[in-house]
Amino acid sequence: EQIFENPQKERTIRFIRNLRVFEKEITEKKFDMYGCIGSLESFCKKNSVPISTIYRINQVFEELCVSTLMPHFPEKFKMYFSLECSQYGEDLRVVVKYDGEQFDVNQSDNLISLAILKHITDELKYSEIFEDEYTNKVEITIKERRTEKNAD
């Protein structure tokens, strides 16, 4: 009963909430960004994520991972990106974990990327962690924004 009402482990949570998860680990600055974005878009389309939300997810990846975090990393590093979505239409959740010294993206000097991130996300939370080889974690909530159709 406790497992279903208050799951603790990541795999249990995914199973109970029927989450679909896209995961990508990046270990160097010279990675296939467009291939990664293409895989992310394919995952979203396969899971019926609206186009406008896919655009916001891509922006999160580019502004957070590429424009804000990577300039602070050495040539080799460890960063984990995941996107969770549910077939039940719940909020989408992005988790980014990375190694190295504590770096809170909310304190970034990249003010343009930070402003974009805060505008396109519904929650942006940083925490220092000690999990596997990761020491930093950013959790982002993206709510599906519906627009009203014009009545004819």
Side-chain angles (χ1 to χ4, degrees):
E1 185 177 310
Q2 183 181 5
I3 291 173
F4 288 97
E5 290 181 16
N6 191 20
Q8 299 296 315
K9 296 189 178 187
E10 195 65 36
R11 286 187 179 195
T12 307
I13 293 169
R14 289 177 180 178
F15 175 76
I16 300 297
R17 297 176 69 201
N18 200 15
L19 296 175
R20 305 288 187 250
V21 182
F22 172 86
E23 298 174 293
K24 178 71 176 170
E25 186 173 83
I26 300 168
T27 57
E28 59 186 6
K29 290 184 178 183
K30 294 179 182 176
F31 78 104
D32 183 4
M33 181 178 87
Y34 297 108
C36 183
I37 290 173
S39 297
L40 184 57
E41 284 182 12
S42 294
F43 169 83
C44 290
K45 288 176 182 175
K46 181 179 170 185
N47 288 284
S48 303
V49 175
I51 296 295
S52 61
T53 305
I54 294 173
Y55 175 73
R56 291 169 57 212
I57 293 166
N58 285 342
Q59 274 193 302
V60 165
F61 180 80
E62 290 180 37
E63 298 299 339
L64 176 61
C65 298
V66 178
S67 298
T68 303
L69 294 176
M70 284 193 185
H72 292 277
F73 293 156
E75 198 58 38
K76 299 281 186 181
F77 57 91
K78 192 167 183 176
M79 178 171 59
Y80 167 84
F81 176 93
S82 72
L83 169 67
E84 299 174 355
C85 64
S86 170
Q87 71 179 37
Y88 304 123
E90 298 171 356
D91 301 340
L92 286 93
R93 181 172 171 248
V94 172
V95 175
V96 178
K97 299 177 191 176
Y98 46 100
D99 64 356
E101 293 183 21
Q102 181 181 1
F103 178 65
D104 182 350
V105 296
N106 290 299
Q107 305 301 318
S108 173
D109 57 358
N110 185 341
L111 300 178
I112 294 172
S113 288
L114 188 57
I116 291 169
L117 283 168
K118 288 185 176 184
H119 178 73
I120 62 173
T121 62
D122 297 283
E123 183 179 24
L124 177 72
K125 184 171 70 173
Y126 168 83
S127 57
E128 187 175 11
I129 61 169
F130 300 98
E131 195 175 290
D132 300 322
E133 299 173 38
Y134 301 106
T135 52
N136 299 275
K137 181 177 177 179
V138 177
E139 295 175 89
I140 293 174
T141 302
I142 300 174
K143 296 183 184 209
E144 186 179 324
R145 295 182 181 158
R146 298 179 184 264
T147 57
E148 293 182 31
K149 294 183 179 179
N150 294 335
D152 291 326

